[in-house]
Amino acid sequence: MKDDSVKHPQATAEFLKDRAQAKWHDSAIWWVRQKRDAQAKQLPEWEELRRLAREIKAHTLSQLDDYLAQFEANAQKNGVTVHWAADADEHNRIVHGILAAKQVKKLVKSKSMLTEECGLNPYLEQHGIEVVDTDLGERIVQLRHEAPSHIVMPAIHLKKEQISELFHKELGTEAGNNDPTYLTHAARANLREHFLTADAGLTGVNFAIAETGGVVVCTNEGNADLGTSLPPIHIASMGLEKIIPKLEHLGVFTRLLARSAIGSPVTTYTSHFHQARPGGEMHIVIVDNGRSDILGNEDFYQSLRCIRCGACMNTCPVYRRSSGFSYSYIIPGPIGSTLGPSRDMKKHGSMAFACSTCGSCSNVCPVKINLHEQLVLHRKKAFEQNLLPAGKKMGLLAMRFLTQHPALFDLGGKVMRKVVPIIPESLTRHSAWSRAGRDVPPMPAQSFKELYQQRSQNKKDKEGQQ
Amino acid sequence: MKIGLFIPCFINELFPHVAMATLELLESLGCEVEFPMEQSCCGQPLANNGDSKGACDAARRFTNVFQRYDYVVAPSGSCVSHVTHHYDWYIAEDTAYQQLKPKVYEIIEFLQDVLKLEKLPKPVYFPHKVSIHQSCHGLRELHHASPSELMMPYHSRLEEILKLVDGVEVLLPERRDECCGFGGTFCVDEPELSTAMGEDRIAQHEATGAEYIVGADPSCLMHMGGIIRHQGKSIRPLHIVEILTGRGAGT
């Protein structure tokens, strides 16, 4: 499980202590951003696709209740059982109820950030059900008892040597064999056993189509397909924002999703599920868990357009240099830094400040969420709720006052310019400005205001003489 | 045409030579420029830390001070962007602000879009290699250049205007528009990360072989300059107006 008590500045400072590892992390993820650019560049209509995706999602969210009702009715017509969960706890109870009714002992799961959000794995394990994550990255972090550090590449924080070591311990692979193909085959063989012996399969949902009542799951490993084809029960868990109105809209999103996420033209598998296979059961659990509150918030409702591609993480210079574990919320990076504070400002407030407001995230976002602006809007709430550190708040209030009193502001500036040069370096070395290796700027003798006044005076004098 | 010179607070105190270069450049192009002494901070640090009241008061003050001018010009993309792109969060209903907004320009925008500058007031010879630093707000909010994330035709205001300078060799760093890590109060909220970002950015600029990192935002240059001095590196940050006035690296 994720440590939700971490504070971004401290966790990142810790992460950066191993600069070599941090640089590797940055480069590995930047490489994915470059792959995304290369794919996007090949589509002359890229920006038009983003605009369309944004508008389809915006329209859907404006009539979400109608589309959800339509989706439910059509799914039921297909023989699917639809469940509604107001929160994480209800979601977990519903899933457990379905599994318990059929005496399920083992559940295979494909990638689902929603079940991470709901804490489904520990809940089911407490109730005696074995849960096996079948996405390779998810499996790796599950074996390490870690949370995913990225929403699309859950084990991106690990090098192949670390995975080799883990597989040696957990799956009995050769010690020191770091060959990715060898390791992948070992994971595959191990997962095959679980697929064959599971009693039920759970998937996430990338898109739910109101018109057809079907759900679409995108994976690159085919694990969702095996997990739903072998066991007789398929449970699909979805956040209520996953709806799109019609099948004809899907292409806009599938063209954007894999290109944005990993720089591939399409995911290897784009699977459509409409009904249970003969003799089986299919359930869809539609989860709110705070989404309705976000939908009702004029500053943050746009975050519900998110299709969980992770492109904002890959481009974020902060995420790349701090890793997913420096963020307290289960979803890290820019999108997590708006969703986390929306969920719990007290717990996740530090995430809203983990941003230099460079705006790159808003530009890569395939559904054009104003991500960097949302973080600044969350800071407004943090300030209003008095969650800023006391010293910082005092500083801001002083700044607020001085901004309205330019003469005092200028005096303060002058004092700074005179005093800073005479402070011994041993005292400034530990300041927030300097402590990580940044010298204070040279202090000019005169401010521009002073120079300008002199210049104006000189001009006047000159004119007087003439 | 009367121009109100907007000198952001930290430039006033720490980079008076950049402010002076801006003033001299505008005057040498025949502009009538006035520097209203009652100006202070635009309020961006307050806004970016959630102080809406302070941000709102600062926005009103800015509007009051500058509404009497035909144009307002400043040598900082970030502060201009705060005025033109974010004051609406605080004082959208203020008609004086709405009238003022389209008249506020970052200096390079002003030279290119309003003055349609085709040659510098006096010829400038700057025989040096420079690496272009795109500052984030100038880039992504003011559209100083085509951001690398967007699939659009390439353009770059800084590269365009440096064509007016003789002898200069313009280079672009790898990851052409990655953030340097300044980020306003972010630089002291997360100093380890901010400095790490700056170190990476400087290394990319250095790898071009450039002698100068040239940008249009003194805040990014201040941050990278602090790291450069700390590490005793030879590359130097330089504001683009200092090149355009012919002061070059003289200050």
Side-chain angles (χ1 to χ4, degrees):
Chain A
M1 282 298 285
K2 189 144 187 169
D3 177 4
D4 64 5
S5 68
V6 297
K7 297 292 173 226
H8 194 274
Q10 290 78 17
T12 299
E14 199 54 41
F15 177 77
L16 285 169
K17 279 185 183 160
D18 186 347
R19 269 317 281 282
Q21 173 85 10
K23 274 193 192 260
W24 170 81
H25 189 266
D26 168 64
S27 310
I29 297 172
W30 178 257
W31 180 70
V32 185
R33 156 77 205 273
Q34 286 178 303
K35 282 174 65 187
R36 171 261 177 209
D37 290 354
Q39 282 296 330
K41 210 167 278 171
Q42 285 177 29
L43 297 189
E45 68 275 33
W46 181 258
E47 297 301 335
E48 177 66 5
L49 278 175
R50 290 177 70 224
R51 190 187 63 76
L52 273 173
R54 173 206 171 110
E55 288 182 4
I56 293 166
K57 280 282 183 179
H59 163 81
T60 312
L61 290 172
S62 74
Q63 301 175 30
L64 190 60
D65 48 347
D66 291 341
Y67 282 121
L68 280 166
Q70 195 188 331
F71 173 76
E72 179 188 35
N74 288 328
Q76 284 169 341
K77 267 187 226 156
N78 297 337
V80 174
T81 312
V82 178
H83 309 258
W84 296 85
D87 55 25
D89 190 48
E90 191 173 7
H91 166 262
N92 295 348
R93 278 187 280 119
I94 289 168
V95 172
H96 177 246
I98 298 166
L99 300 176
K102 296 283 172 181
Q103 288 90 43
V104 167
K105 295 271 176 302
K106 185 191 283 187
L107 173 74
V108 281
K109 232 181 81 190
S110 75
K111 222 172 144 316
S112 153
M113 284 310 294
L114 177 62
T115 57
E116 296 283 348
E117 171 189 323
C118 294
L120 179 68
N121 287 19
Y123 181 91
L124 291 180
E125 282 157 9
Q126 275 161 25
H127 289 80
I129 294 171
E130 184 187 358
V131 184
V132 180
D133 278 306
T134 60
D135 170 270
L136 178 57
E138 286 278 348
R139 182 66 179 150
I140 291 166
V141 296
Q142 185 182 32
L143 290 173
R144 284 173 59 96
H145 309 288
E146 274 178 350
S149 73
H150 187 289
I151 63 171
V152 173
M153 302 173 285
I156 191 70
H157 57 291
L158 298 170
K159 289 184 168 175
K160 60 185 182 205
E161 292 78 13
Q162 292 167 284
I163 293 163
S164 167
E165 213 170 289
L166 173 77
F167 280 11
H168 173 64
K169 204 173 97 200
E170 300 289 339
L171 307 180
T173 56
E174 285 168 32
N177 190 335
N178 303 332
D179 176 37
T181 308
Y182 167 75
L183 295 172
T184 308
H185 281 161
R188 184 172 184 265
N190 175 269
L191 284 171
R192 250 336 119 92
E193 277 301 310
H194 290 297
F195 280 122
L196 290 167
T197 53
D199 313 297
L202 186 143
T203 66
V205 169
N206 290 96
F207 305 100
I209 300 162
E211 175 189 48
T212 65
V215 297
V216 179
V217 181
C218 304
T219 72
N220 285 308
E221 298 165 20
N223 55 317
D225 305 82
L226 264 185
T228 52
S229 305
L230 293 170
I233 303 169
H234 173 197
I235 303 171
S237 290
M238 58 176 266
L240 52 73
E241 80 284 17
K242 294 289 175 186
I243 296 276
I244 56 173
K246 292 183 174 179
L247 185 60
E248 71 187 49
H249 299 139
L250 181 67
V252 172
F253 295 97
T254 50
R255 297 189 75 201
L256 286 165
L257 178 63
R259 289 184 170 91
S260 299
I262 50 169
S264 297
V266 71
T267 43
T268 315
Y269 300 87
T270 301
S271 305
H272 296 242
F273 298 95
H274 289 101
Q275 55 191 336
R277 57 205 177 78
E281 287 178 23
M282 181 170 166
H283 299 263
I284 296 175
V285 189
I286 303 174
V287 184
D288 185 326
N289 202 30
R291 288 165 176 74
S292 296
D293 294 336
I294 297 177
L295 185 61
N297 188 307
E298 64 170 339
D299 287 338
F300 305 114
Y301 73 95
Q302 295 194 37
S303 62
L304 292 182
R305 293 204 295 262
C306 177
I307 58 171
R308 301 290 191 273
C309 70
C312 59
M313 286 157 216
N314 302 341
T315 202
C316 178
V318 170
Y319 172 84
R320 278 187 267 109
R321 291 178 185 80
S322 53
S323 106
F325 299 132
S326 297
Y327 297 82
S328 53
Y329 187 53
I330 187 71
I331 298 178
I335 183 66
S337 300
T338 177
L339 294 174
S342 277
R343 176 168 305 279
D344 186 339
M345 179 51 92
K346 273 207 177 94
K347 203 175 255 177
H348 305 300
S350 89
M351 289 174 69
F353 294 85
C355 168
S356 64
T357 69
C358 81
S360 183
C361 49
S362 306
N363 277 353
V364 293
C365 178
V367 287
K368 302 180 86 159
I369 302 170
N370 59 337
L371 287 159
H372 73 293
E373 292 186 340
Q374 295 211 355
L375 301 205
V376 176
L377 292 166
H378 275 301
R379 296 174 187 182
K380 249 164 116 167
K381 284 198 310 188
F383 186 93
E384 282 155 17
Q385 293 175 25
N386 214 8
L387 296 173
L388 267 54
K392 185 173 185 185
K393 180 141 190 192
M394 293 246 298
L396 289 169
L397 293 178
M399 180 82 183
R400 184 203 273 187
F401 176 81
L402 290 175
T403 296
Q404 296 304 319
H405 299 85
L408 287 175
F409 198 129
D410 296 341
L411 180 65
K414 189 167 190 164
V415 171
M416 172 191 74
R417 279 183 288 108
K418 303 296 169 203
V419 170
V420 168
I422 56 172
I423 302 178
E425 197 255 337
S426 58
L427 288 179
T428 56
R429 199 185 304 149
H430 302 290
S431 69
W433 176 267
S434 296
R435 75 167 188 245
R438 188 168 45 190
D439 285 1
V440 285
M443 297 286 147
Q446 287 174 300
S447 71
F448 176 69
K449 276 190 186 179
E450 290 167 351
L451 291 172
Y452 184 80
Q453 271 171 324
Q454 269 176 16
R455 188 176 185 263
S456 307
Q457 194 56 48
N458 291 348
K459 252 190 191 167
K460 263 187 213 154
D461 293 349
K462 235 187 210 167
E463 279 163 13
Q465 286 164 9
Q466 279 164 1
Chain B
M1 177 167 79
K2 198 165 192 180
I3 296 171
L5 182 63
F6 161 36
I7 296 302
C9 50
F10 74 100
I11 300 180
N12 175 52
E13 296 296 343
L14 299 175
F15 301 95
H17 52 285
V18 172
M20 194 53 85
T22 308
L23 173 64
E24 288 173 0
L25 185 61
L26 288 169
E27 284 182 344
S28 61
L29 288 162
C31 300
E32 187 191 345
V33 187
E34 198 174 277
F35 175 73
M37 297 295 278
E38 67 274 30
Q39 64 180 285
S40 66
C41 173
C42 68
Q44 184 173 198
L46 302 171
N48 283 356
N49 284 292
D51 179 8
S52 302
K53 162 107 181 39
C56 190
D57 293 348
R60 288 197 201 288
R61 177 173 194 92
F62 184 94
T63 303
N64 287 337
V65 170
F66 284 104
Q67 61 182 340
R68 62 180 186 267
Y69 297 103
D70 300 313
Y71 291 101
V72 178
V73 179
S76 162
S78 187
C79 304
V80 166
S81 175
H82 181 62
V83 172
T84 57
H85 286 63
H86 298 290
Y87 274 10
D88 271 327
W89 289 0
Y90 307 99
I91 56 164
E93 77 303 335
D94 188 323
T95 50
Y97 164 62
Q98 294 302 341
Q99 285 164 6
L100 172 66
K101 179 161 64 171
K103 301 190 290 187
V104 182
Y105 283 83
E106 184 276 333
I107 177 73
I108 305 301
E109 288 181 328
F110 184 77
L111 296 176
Q112 292 179 328
D113 293 358
V114 180
L115 299 184
K116 317 272 185 207
L117 189 71
E118 283 176 359
K119 70 182 186 73
L120 294 172
K122 58 178 183 195
V124 172
Y125 180 56
F126 191 73
H128 299 284
K129 290 180 176 178
V130 303
S131 183
I132 299 286
H133 186 75
Q134 297 289 358
S135 291
C136 298
H137 295 167
L139 173 73
R140 298 193 181 85
E141 291 185 338
L142 300 182
H143 310 295
H144 257 187
S146 42
S148 60
E149 306 90 15
L150 297 181
M151 299 303 130
M152 62 190 290
Y154 184 79
H155 78 276
S156 164
R157 284 183 183 277
L158 300 191
E159 286 173 63
E160 206 49 46
I161 206 155
L162 283 175
K163 287 183 185 161
L164 306 180
V165 174
D166 289 330
V168 67
E169 187 181 340
V170 175
L171 302 157
L172 297 182
E174 191 206 332
R175 304 192 190 184
R176 72 177 200 244
D177 49 22
E178 173 117 310
C179 177
C180 70
F182 173 66
T185 46
F186 171 80
C187 78
V188 285
D189 284 345
E190 303 226 11
E192 290 79 11
L193 178 53
S194 169
T195 306
M197 286 166 73
E199 286 171 359
D200 290 352
R201 198 72 194 121
I202 292 162
Q204 286 152 0
H205 283 300
E206 278 182 317
T208 63
E211 303 153 72
Y212 295 96
I213 301 174
V214 169
D217 228 313
S219 54
C220 311
L221 300 174
M222 167 176 75
H223 160 70
M224 287 188 285
I227 297 167
I228 287 168
R229 272 194 312 283
H230 185 79
Q231 301 192 346
K233 288 174 177 290
S234 60
I235 197 164
R236 289 283 169 266
L238 188 62
H239 195 287
I240 191 158
V241 293
E242 295 186 81
I243 298 181
L244 300 180
T245 49
R247 291 172 165 229
T251 45

